[in-house]
Amino acid sequence: MGSEEENFLELDEQELQTFRRSSYKNLIVMSLGFLFLFTAFQALQNLQSSIHDDKQMGWWSLCLIYLSLLISCMFVPPLVISKLGAKYTVMLSMVGYVLFTVANFYPKRWTLFPASIILGFCGAPLWAAKCSYVTTKGIKYGKATGKNEDNVITNFFGLFFLIFQSGQIWGNLISSQILKPSDSSSNDTRDTGLICGANFCPSTNISSINQQTSDSTVTTLMLIYLGFGCLAIAVIFLFLDQEKILGETKKKGVCDLFIATIKHLKNMKMLLLIPITMFSGLEQGFVFGDFTRAFVTCTLGIEKVGLIMICFGVVDAFFSLFLGKIVEWWTGRPIMMISGALVNLGLLILFYVWHPRESTVYVFYIGAALWGFCDAVWQTQVNAFYGVLFPTNQEAAFSNYRLWESVGFVIAFAYGNYICISTKIQILICFLILGVALYGVIEFKRKNETETYDTHMENIPS
């Protein structure tokens, strides 16, 4: 890496400007590829627990996705990335997401479940390649421009998640328009507050509360999402430059990342990060699976899922961009993490005691928006924190990130058909408090290490 630093020092002003433009161009191309891909997948994920509710296929498909993602985190990325490089790893992985959309044209167990498993195995290399690519770009940009590498990485992830999370807006806007009822049928007058929200249990039957979605409507939706998936692959293929990931010095075997992932768990900071990383998966599983079904679909109908999740996506995207700057200029990461934790804790308590009804529809939108802020905190800050803590061991670090986040997803979807929403909220509260507390221990250790190093340097004779 020393030769690269020397090359950066030799850049003249024109070469530096070209390097900056190239860095941002590739970052935006990567972000747009993920935007198009997840415009389809995130909206489809939000609807899985509703459009396949009768046979529980939606819940089990989500569970299979994250279970296979959990397994693939430790085996698939090094094999694919070492053979194809980051760019073509991203492209190939996107094909798995497109296949999942295709399976939803004819959602049966023998089509949806295999497609879910394939998507899960594609998810690990997709996210590992993206995380390593963005982190490497951030480190090289920091060295070339003389800026703090930690801040650059955080800002790069912030820009990525701004564009990426806006997919929640477009995908859900499409679904809300397509699923809009064609007639103004009379609303059910039952008191949904008694069966929806925290009172919702797996045995609750919501098919009698909300109208069924026709096959032709679902097909139209799938055609649109299929187009977005194909567009994502085309954007990456045509416009993304290949990039050598820092730390990639030799070809790795199938089990090398598994061994490196397990060895990385010997690092105390990695162990302390596990609860907050798992919470990131749990909270996403809750908002995509439980909030959309137990709160929105149960109370308002499936056609409102898209509109309410747009609020989630808008706020998530906005703060994904600006949190990096806010952290850098004003708050610092610890204060932002605490702020996210307090807002998320308040929301969980609200959802626990609130009885959702159509007359309080504004609470759905406000709750989704505030959860979007919280998700932006967890996604950008935890992601960037891994890059900051383990810059020279990115593959093992981000493999652990995806592993433990996937564990959170699997738990969220696996127990989805067995326990009530009130119990899930209690579990989320416990993980949130534990995760933020252990994160604080890491920041305390880093501060002490920095002070010890500074004191040591001061005591060295000049």
Side-chain angles (χ1 to χ4, degrees):
M1 198 155 67
S3 61
E4 288 187 1
E5 292 185 39
E6 291 172 7
N7 290 337
F8 286 138
L9 293 174
E10 294 171 0
L11 295 177
D12 59 32
E13 186 61 31
Q14 185 175 355
E15 291 172 330
L16 188 58
Q17 288 295 332
T18 301
F19 176 79
R20 285 172 172 163
R21 285 194 296 269
S22 174
S23 297
Y24 274 101
K25 185 269 288 187
N26 282 289
L27 177 61
I28 291 172
V29 168
M30 178 71 83
S31 303
L32 287 175
F34 273 68
L35 166 65
F36 296 137
L37 185 70
F38 283 87
T39 288
F41 176 69
Q42 286 179 328
L44 191 53
Q45 178 178 247
N46 293 342
L47 296 170
Q48 281 297 298
S49 61
S50 298
I51 60 177
H52 308 311
D53 183 69
D54 290 346
K55 299 180 180 179
Q56 301 292 339
M57 282 195 302
W59 276 101
W60 284 114
S61 70
L62 293 173
C63 187
L64 286 171
I65 286 172
Y66 292 102
L67 181 61
S68 54
L69 176 62
L70 188 158
I71 297 170
S72 70
C73 281
M74 296 181 288
F75 297 101
V76 180
L79 181 65
V80 179
I81 295 175
S82 64
K83 298 273 186 193
L84 302 179
K87 172 180 177 175
Y88 294 106
T89 296
V90 169
M91 278 183 56
L92 179 63
S93 300
M94 285 179 169
V95 174
Y97 286 75
V98 173
L99 290 175
F100 179 73
T101 305
V102 172
N104 275 273
F105 279 94
Y106 191 70
K108 304 294 182 182
R109 293 177 185 272
W110 59 271
T111 58
L112 199 59
F113 290 178
S116 299
I117 294 171
I118 292 171
L119 187 154
F121 275 96
C122 289
L126 175 74
W127 284 96
K130 184 277 299 180
C131 288
S132 295
Y133 191 96
V134 174
T135 299
T136 295
K137 282 292 184 185
I139 292 172
K140 290 183 176 181
Y141 189 90
K143 291 184 183 300
T145 59
K147 294 184 177 180
N148 183 281
E149 293 174 23
D150 290 5
N151 292 335
V152 172
I153 293 171
T154 299
N155 289 332
F156 273 24
F157 272 104
L159 179 57
F160 170 84
F161 279 107
L162 163 72
I163 299 173
F164 167 73
Q165 294 291 8
S166 69
Q168 283 282 358
I169 304 170
W170 316 121
N172 287 309
L173 183 61
I174 292 168
S175 69
S176 66
Q177 293 302 308
I178 298 295
L179 296 172
K180 184 184 296 184
S182 57
D183 57 66
S184 54
S185 55
S186 60
N187 294 325
D188 198 301
T189 58
R190 78 181 66 198
D191 189 354
T192 55
L194 298 177
I195 60 173
C196 300
N199 294 323
F200 189 93
C201 291
S203 60
T204 304
N205 180 18
I206 62 174
S207 60
S208 61
I209 303 175
N210 300 291
Q211 65 180 42
Q212 297 298 306
T213 306
S214 67
D215 291 341
S216 61
T217 300
V218 173
T219 299
T220 301
L221 204 56
M222 294 309 113
L223 282 170
I224 296 171
Y225 290 160
L226 179 62
F228 274 102
C230 294
L231 180 60
I233 297 173
V235 166
I236 296 297
F237 175 70
L238 294 173
F239 302 110
L240 188 72
D241 297 332
Q242 186 68 284
E243 177 71 54
K244 181 174 176 59
I245 303 302
L246 293 180
E248 251 186 22
T249 56
K250 62 176 184 178
K251 290 188 175 180
K252 299 177 175 64
V254 177
C255 294
D256 286 0
L257 183 57
F258 172 76
I259 295 170
T261 302
I262 300 303
K263 285 184 176 179
H264 195 61
L265 290 173
K266 294 180 180 178
N267 188 308
M268 181 56 66
K269 292 174 183 174
M270 181 63 246
L271 290 174
L272 294 173
L273 275 174
I274 290 176
I276 194 65
T277 309
M278 286 182 64
F279 176 77
S280 176
L282 286 167
E283 62 92 7
Q284 290 178 77
F286 179 84
V287 75
F288 296 143
D290 296 312
F291 178 72
T292 55
R293 182 171 73 154
F295 287 83
V296 183
T297 301
C298 181
T299 308
L300 306 175
I302 190 175
E303 68 275 6
K304 292 295 192 296
V305 170
L307 289 174
I308 290 171
M309 291 304 288
I310 286 173
C311 289
F312 171 87
V314 168
V315 176
D316 204 334
F318 176 84
F319 278 102
S320 292
L321 174 64
F322 291 106
L323 278 179
K325 296 296 183 183
I326 294 171
V327 167
E328 179 183 353
W329 293 341
W330 293 303
T331 66
R333 185 170 38 245
I335 292 177
M336 184 54 64
M337 292 285 283
I338 292 171
S339 299
L342 291 175
V343 174
N344 218 156
L345 181 61
L347 277 174
L348 288 168
I349 295 172
L350 171 64
F351 289 161
Y352 190 80
V353 301
W354 175 46
H355 298 295
R357 296 179 175 86
E358 286 191 71
S359 59
T360 58
V361 65
Y362 61 92
V363 180
F364 291 91
Y365 291 96
I366 295 173
L370 290 175
W371 202 290
F373 163 75
C374 298
D375 187 65
V377 172
W378 308 132
Q379 293 296 305
T380 61
Q381 299 309 302
V382 177
N383 241 306
F385 199 42
Y386 269 80
V388 169
L389 287 178
F390 316 112
T392 60
N393 197 13
Q394 294 180 43
E395 279 194 344
F398 285 119
S399 174
N400 268 287
Y401 174 82
R402 297 309 301 178
L403 168 67
W404 295 108
E405 186 183 47
S406 298
V407 169
F409 269 112
V410 170
I411 292 173
F413 292 125
Y415 66 27
N417 290 320
Y418 300 101
I419 65 176
C420 297
I421 297 297
S422 57
T423 305
K424 295 179 184 180
I425 293 175
Q426 294 170 5
I427 294 172
L428 280 168
I429 290 174
C430 292
F431 266 94
L432 174 59
I433 294 173
L434 177 63
V436 173
L438 294 182
Y439 159 77
V441 173
I442 300 175
E443 290 287 12
F444 181 76
K445 287 171 65 70
R446 290 188 77 221
K447 183 179 179 181
N448 283 346
E449 289 169 358
T450 302
E451 290 176 352
T452 301
Y453 176 79
D454 291 342
T455 302
H456 174 72
M457 294 301 292
E458 289 174 1
N459 292 333
I460 296 177
S462 56

